[in-house]
Amino acid sequence: MGKALIIGAGGVAGVVVHKCCQNSEVFEEICIASRTKSKCDALKEKLEGKTATKIQTTQVDADKVEELVALIRKFQPDIVINVALPYQDLTIMDACLETKVDYVDTANYEPLDTAKFEYKWQWAYRDRFEKAGITALLGSGFDPGVTGVFSAYAQKHYFDEIHQIDIVDANAGDHGYPFATNFNPEINIREVTANGSYFENGKFIETEPMSIKRVYDLPQIGPKDIYLLHHEEMESLALNIKGIQKIRFWMTFSESYLTHLKVLENVGMTSIEPIEFEGKQIVPLQFLKAVLPDPASLGPRTKGKTNIGCIFQGIKNGKPRTYYVYNVCVHEDCYAEVGSQAISYTTGVPAMIGAMMVMTGKWKKPGVYNVEEFDPDPFMDALNQFGLPWHEDFNPTLID
């Protein structure tokens, strides 16, 4: 079918590479590019000889448009899969525009100096991508990503109007460390320490960080403390789901995690404001990231399951209806298959699927789009095929 350039070599990128190599009919050739070429080479070494997909590796600085453009022109991919840092979304989009190549990512752009999660910077590229005749698919991870596909699927098949969505992201895995983050520590901690928010009646209502808590009994993992956070997919779902009145995003955290995080916050280690240390400017959160365990190293240590899904309330044929669709992922199974824990797996698989949707023409349309703007059915089928089977409940317990 074609060629994909994969930018990034962390935990999620490792899953994307494995999944592309399992899907050689679509991904005949891939190039893995990162600032650290040795990480790319390590991924290639794991898979070479075990797949029909041809694998190249190279070094690139994703902050530099000119380097990205030169690489794209040299490799000539059909699509660029961005699994680098969210800070680099815009430079990679600029390079795709200049070379007229399709683009997919897993998380929205955020400025390096501001913990702000919103799509406005990427949505501003709509006209330019449309005029260039190329597709940008935003947020094709799990949340954002599969949660948007779940919403489009519910809207297409089960509702005339969806009035409320509760997105619940639960991780019941245990890695054995006193404190570690399951994905990039810098992004994770910025997300958790930011103000929360929820969408209601046409506007976002801001809350203090971690100030709203519920307990929810999740299939296969049991009752868990869930906390209301701001999350980017609420912004696009508020625009794209018919009849929507309220959207909330919930995530599980243990008391130990929150206690460690509060102490780190109290002593200034989660700050993104630069400080001077021994004559150099350093960002405390970036230093903290350097001393915490690498999320990519958690795979062999992590035991247990994740459960991520959406609970919908709305109407069908004039009658109230509820619907819950979710995926349960086993950390040990993910490690056995691709050498990662489930957090990376649940992001990397949908990134590959999103790229496949664009490459095969199922989701190919000039412009910039979020996943819920396309037909969800082929994506839902692919989730079952590539390791993220989903389950349905038509009488779920609701979150008050």
Side-chain angles (χ1 to χ4, degrees):
M1 171 70 70
K3 300 162 69 173
L5 171 60
I6 300 166
I7 300 178
V12 174
V15 178
V16 174
V17 169
H18 275 83
K19 286 297 178 177
C20 287
C21 289
Q22 290 177 13
N23 192 6
S24 298
E25 289 185 4
V26 174
F27 299 95
E28 294 175 328
E29 192 170 348
I30 62 173
C31 178
I32 315 164
S34 171
R35 197 186 305 264
T36 308
K37 186 175 181 291
S38 60
K39 291 183 177 181
C40 306
D41 293 336
L43 287 170
K44 178 181 178 180
E45 188 177 342
K46 284 183 181 178
L47 286 156
E48 207 161 35
K50 302 174 183 176
T51 175
T53 301
K54 296 177 182 178
I55 306 171
Q56 296 183 28
T57 65
T58 192
Q59 191 275 337
V60 74
D61 184 344
D63 291 320
K64 296 180 179 178
V65 175
E66 63 275 14
E67 284 193 24
L68 292 164
V69 167
L71 173 57
I72 292 170
R73 286 182 173 153
K74 180 180 179 182
F75 182 61
Q76 297 188 336
D78 299 287
I79 196 164
V80 172
I81 305 174
N82 172 13
V83 278
L85 293 172
Y87 318 135
Q88 296 161 330
D89 287 359
L90 301 189
T91 54
I92 299 172
M93 289 181 77
D94 285 336
C96 286
L97 265 177
E98 189 167 333
T99 54
K100 292 184 168 54
V101 173
D102 294 327
Y103 167 92
V104 60
D105 67 28
T106 64
N108 69 352
Y109 172 75
E110 59 178 281
L112 187 60
D113 57 355
T114 308
K116 188 75 171 175
F117 306 96
E118 55 185 322
Y119 277 114
K120 69 177 184 181
W121 293 283
Q122 291 179 277
W123 285 347
Y125 281 70
R126 281 171 171 158
D127 289 344
R128 282 174 284 170
F129 267 74
E130 187 172 356
K131 288 175 183 175
I134 55 175
T135 302
L137 180 64
L138 306 183
S140 188
F142 206 109
D143 44 348
V146 176
T147 52
V149 177
F150 282 170
S151 298
Y153 186 80
Q155 180 171 252
K156 178 177 179 179
H157 294 283
Y158 298 127
F159 291 91
D160 295 323
E161 288 186 1
I162 295 174
H163 294 159
Q164 180 166 333
I165 306 172
D166 280 294
I167 300 165
V168 186
D169 182 333
N171 178 20
D174 182 8
H175 47 58
Y177 285 115
F179 184 81
T181 63
N182 290 295
F183 59 96
N184 184 291
E186 193 175 346
I187 304 301
N188 178 270
I189 291 171
R190 282 167 63 121
E191 181 178 291
V192 173
T193 56
N195 285 341
S197 78
Y198 60 94
F199 177 82
E200 188 168 29
N201 297 326
K203 62 181 180 180
F204 281 91
I205 299 166
E206 202 165 87
T207 65
E208 291 294 316
M210 314 298 279
S211 61
I212 298 178
K213 171 188 169 184
R214 300 285 189 271
V215 177
Y216 192 71
D217 191 354
L218 291 123
Q220 299 190 38
I221 64 174
K224 297 293 174 186
D225 293 340
I226 58 173
Y227 294 84
L228 187 141
L229 300 182
H230 173 76
H231 225 244
E232 61 223 62
E233 66 261 51
M234 292 192 293
E235 187 180 11
S236 65
L237 292 174
L239 297 175
N240 295 323
I241 299 301
K242 181 182 176 183
I244 195 68
Q245 298 169 9
K246 189 173 186 176
I247 314 172
R248 299 181 294 186
F249 181 93
W250 307 88
M251 187 173 279
T252 58
F253 298 97
S254 68
E255 286 188 19
S256 174
Y257 177 94
L258 294 177
T259 299
H260 278 84
L261 185 61
K262 192 63 180 176
V263 171
L264 291 167
E265 191 174 9
N266 285 344
V267 298
M269 287 303 300
T270 63
S271 172
I272 61 174
E273 295 297 324
I275 62 169
E276 187 170 322
F277 176 73
E278 294 185 345
K280 298 179 180 178
Q281 291 286 308
I282 67 166
V283 174
L285 181 55
Q286 292 177 355
F287 176 80
L288 178 61
K289 173 186 174 182
V291 299
L292 288 175
D294 181 351
S297 73
L298 299 180
R301 301 177 57 102
T302 308
K303 315 297 180 186
K305 298 178 179 179
T306 63
N307 180 317
I308 315 175
C310 300
I311 305 165
F312 301 96
Q313 301 176 57
I315 56 171
K316 179 70 174 180
N317 297 325
K319 296 180 180 179
R321 165 170 269 187
T322 59
Y323 172 63
Y324 179 25
V325 57
Y326 60 92
N327 162 263
V328 173
C329 208
V330 180
H331 286 286
E332 296 96 318
D333 292 349
C334 298
Y335 183 71
E337 183 192 345
V338 301
S340 86
Q341 32 82 355
I343 305 302
S344 294
Y345 191 89
T346 54
T347 304
V349 173
M352 181 280 290
I353 294 174
M356 178 177 70
M357 292 296 105
V358 176
M359 286 180 69
T360 57
K362 292 181 174 69
W363 283 13
K364 174 68 176 167
K365 188 164 61 171
V368 175
Y369 300 95
N370 295 88
V371 293
E372 67 271 12
E373 296 181 80
F374 291 100
D375 179 10
D377 291 358
F379 198 109
M380 293 288 280
D381 291 341
L383 288 171
N384 286 326
Q385 180 182 354
F386 289 103
L388 292 177
W390 40 276
H391 311 274
E392 298 177 299
D393 182 350
F394 291 90
N395 188 30
T397 301
L398 303 179
I399 300 172
D400 60 24

